[in-house]
Amino acid sequence: MGEGKRTGQLALPPEESEDELVDSDEDNNVDMNLDESSDSSESESGTDTEPEAEPEGTDNNKQVPGGDKLFKVRPLLNFLNDSFSSIPMDEMLCVDEQMVPFKGRSQLKQYIPMKPKRWGYKFFILADQHGIVYNFDVYTGSIQPHPGFPDIGASGNIVLQLASAIPTNILHKLFFDNWFCSVDLQVLLEKEKIHSVGTVRQNRLAGCTFMDDGAMKAKGRGTHQEKMTTHNGVHLWAVKWFDNRPVTLLSTFVAAHPTTEVQRSKKWYHRIVFHMLDLTLVESWLLYRRDCQSQIPKNDQLPLLDFKIQVASCLCMENKVSNKRKGRPSQVVVMGKKKRGHHSFVPPDPVRRDNTDHWPLQASDKGRCKMPGCKDIVRSRCSKCAVFLCFTRERNCFFDYHKG
């Protein structure tokens, strides 16, 4: 958000009278006709397509006990759901879709173009802000109303089904996007003492009108408008604000005020820096190839990927003290052509000859000495290079291996 602009940070406004919409500037009232049906059916999603038709002679519904298309894995799914739902829940929860990549032949396969993996099995997940899953369901072609609740459409039914794992009367906060969000859904959740907030489609707010998109864009980022009503005894707040584009939000516990000023610092230079680093590596590789022309056969020269790996390995290990390294231990580089069986790992030459923190250790296992020309089986190994080397009165491969 640009400098000096205001953004809507949601907070609970004063309670307003029932069955009327109140503008944030409190200068006019507009009725919200929430008795009209809020269409939250799955056909509005615009993201999912019908499953691919199976060729004639193929029927995945045959021999399905009780009509359950997941009967082969249902015991596993039920066991995991019971296990996940017993985990103590965080206050902030969300419902969203998850794709299990699959491109084979199946009536359960779905296509969601906006997902990183567009083809696969679709899961609905209840998780918290840390990614811990508490409940899930696999989409099999239809979503029935959850027992004890009315049918509010597929997108709302699945939220109520997943939210059944949330303890009531604790005021958990549930978030979801505009495919799930509707007035009926939020009213039912609030009656279960589950607060909710989500982006919402304008056609699901019957009778609620906001400033048009063009007028908001003309006023600039941070422009917002707020409406409030009470439906079936539940307070609802609808907020439309303009950020990079207009966004409409519906909630049962937060709204637009108070607002705060924020500073956005777009790091436009990152792409230039990363490009120049990559350009430098490619330039170095081309110089390496040119220097190798007269001395090393082309087939033995490092390809670009291996060259980058060696550079990264050297930067991670060279002149570094092994017992002070943080994070994952650096991977050593595979030298030579790929062969079947166990690979022989050796560190890059700049690392093994940097004269820093190479110490002989006595290992519990044995290994073949990595000094070229030596085939002895020894227990001594280098603390930094992690290779076996002779270190005896008769043979000191450890010194020869590390000397410049």
Side-chain angles (χ1 to χ4, degrees):
M1 189 170 293
E3 292 187 19
K5 299 295 182 182
R6 302 177 71 193
T7 180
Q9 181 175 351
L10 299 177
L12 187 67
E15 181 176 334
E16 304 291 348
S17 60
E18 293 191 357
D19 298 325
E20 64 180 7
L21 291 173
V22 182
D23 280 333
S24 58
D25 56 7
E26 299 183 357
D27 59 2
N28 59 13
N29 296 333
V30 184
D31 290 334
M32 178 187 282
N33 183 12
L34 291 177
D35 291 330
E36 297 180 12
S37 60
S38 298
D39 184 9
S40 59
S41 64
E42 187 176 17
S43 61
E44 286 185 343
S45 67
T47 57
D48 299 343
T49 61
E50 293 295 328
E52 284 189 337
E54 296 291 329
E56 294 184 4
T58 302
D59 187 357
N60 286 346
N61 291 325
K62 289 183 178 180
Q63 299 178 353
V64 178
D68 186 3
K69 298 179 181 180
L70 297 170
F71 75 97
K72 290 187 176 180
V73 294
R74 182 60 65 187
L76 172 64
L77 299 179
N78 290 341
F79 173 78
L80 292 178
N81 247 337
D82 293 340
S83 301
F84 293 166
S85 61
S86 65
I87 301 173
M89 290 189 182
D90 195 80
E91 178 187 5
M92 304 293 183
L93 302 169
C94 70
V95 170
D96 204 355
E97 301 166 334
Q98 184 181 65
M99 292 295 288
V100 177
F102 179 73
K103 286 191 176 181
R105 190 179 301 279
S106 173
Q107 287 185 340
L108 303 182
K109 182 176 63 177
Q110 297 292 307
Y111 175 73
I112 305 181
M114 299 304 293
K115 295 290 184 180
K117 301 294 184 180
R118 294 173 290 178
W119 291 97
Y121 300 114
K122 181 165 70 172
F123 278 60
F124 294 103
I125 301 291
L126 172 69
D128 65 13
Q129 58 185 330
H130 306 293
I132 299 175
V133 174
Y134 300 102
N135 200 1
F136 66 87
D137 192 25
V138 185
Y139 179 67
T140 58
S142 64
I143 302 175
Q144 301 301 319
H146 187 64
F149 290 92
D151 186 357
I152 59 173
S155 58
N157 291 342
I158 189 62
V159 175
L160 294 175
Q161 179 179 331
L162 295 173
S164 64
I166 303 176
T168 57
N169 298 317
I170 303 182
L171 299 179
H172 284 278
K173 297 175 177 60
L174 185 60
F175 300 80
F176 32 74
D177 62 26
N178 61 12
W179 189 80
F180 301 98
C181 188
S182 69
V183 171
D184 293 336
L185 172 62
Q186 293 206 349
V187 168
L188 291 173
L189 289 173
E190 189 65 23
K191 289 184 176 180
E192 295 296 315
K193 304 300 181 183
I194 300 174
H195 291 329
S196 60
V197 59
T199 55
V200 65
R201 299 173 183 178
Q202 185 66 44
N203 61 0
R204 294 184 181 178
L205 298 177
C208 180
T209 58
F210 289 103
M211 186 187 311
D212 62 66
D213 296 351
M216 276 197 159
K217 185 175 182 180
K219 288 189 174 183
R221 182 183 285 125
T223 303
H224 63 275
Q225 190 177 12
E226 176 185 334
K227 307 279 186 177
M228 181 268 178
T229 192
T230 300
H231 181 60
N232 289 342
V234 174
H235 295 300
L236 293 167
W237 289 269
V239 178
K240 181 177 180 180
W241 81 88
F242 185 83
D243 190 7
N244 293 323
R245 60 182 178 84
V247 178
T248 306
L249 177 137
L250 183 67
S251 175
T252 58
F253 73 103
V254 288
H257 295 283
T259 60
T260 58
E261 293 186 359
V262 297
Q263 296 288 337
R264 285 190 178 176
S265 175
K266 293 186 177 179
K267 297 179 174 57
W268 52 267
Y269 50 84
H270 277 182
R271 185 161 301 233
I272 296 177
V273 173
F274 294 146
H275 173 76
M276 296 311 299
L277 289 175
D278 187 66
L279 176 63
T280 303
L281 275 173
V282 174
E283 186 89 352
S284 303
W285 177 69
L286 292 174
L287 292 174
Y288 158 79
R289 292 280 298 269
R290 188 178 69 179
D291 294 341
C292 291
Q293 285 181 357
S294 59
Q295 300 180 4
I296 302 176
K298 187 173 183 179
N299 292 337
D300 294 335
Q301 298 175 14
L302 292 175
L304 178 60
L305 178 59
D306 291 346
F307 182 84
K308 288 183 176 181
I309 292 175
Q310 284 232 12
V311 172
S313 179
C314 290
L315 291 176
C316 290
M317 295 179 64
E318 190 172 7
N319 297 322
K320 300 288 180 67
V321 178
S322 59
N323 59 1
K324 292 186 179 180
R325 290 199 302 269
K326 297 181 180 179
R328 295 182 179 178
S330 302
Q331 294 289 333
V332 292
V333 181
V334 180
M335 304 295 292
K337 297 181 179 179
K338 293 183 178 179
K339 299 180 181 179
R340 291 184 179 180
H342 181 69
H343 289 292
S344 178
F345 295 96
V346 295
D349 285 347
V351 173
R352 80 186 224 192
R353 295 191 173 95
D354 63 5
N355 297 322
T356 302
D357 202 40
H358 296 279
W359 303 101
L361 300 175
Q362 288 295 320
S364 58
D365 53 343
K366 295 181 181 180
R368 189 178 299 277
C369 179
K370 298 303 179 184
M371 185 67 187
C374 182
K375 297 183 179 180
D376 290 352
I377 304 297
V378 295
R379 291 184 181 272
S380 55
R381 63 189 307 170
C382 177
S383 62
K384 183 174 182 178
C385 301
V387 296
F388 288 95
L389 295 165
C390 295
F391 188 64
T392 64
R393 295 179 60 182
E394 294 77 19
R395 192 177 185 90
N396 192 348
C397 295
F398 188 92
F399 174 80
D400 296 334
Y401 187 81
H402 294 105
K403 69 179 180 181

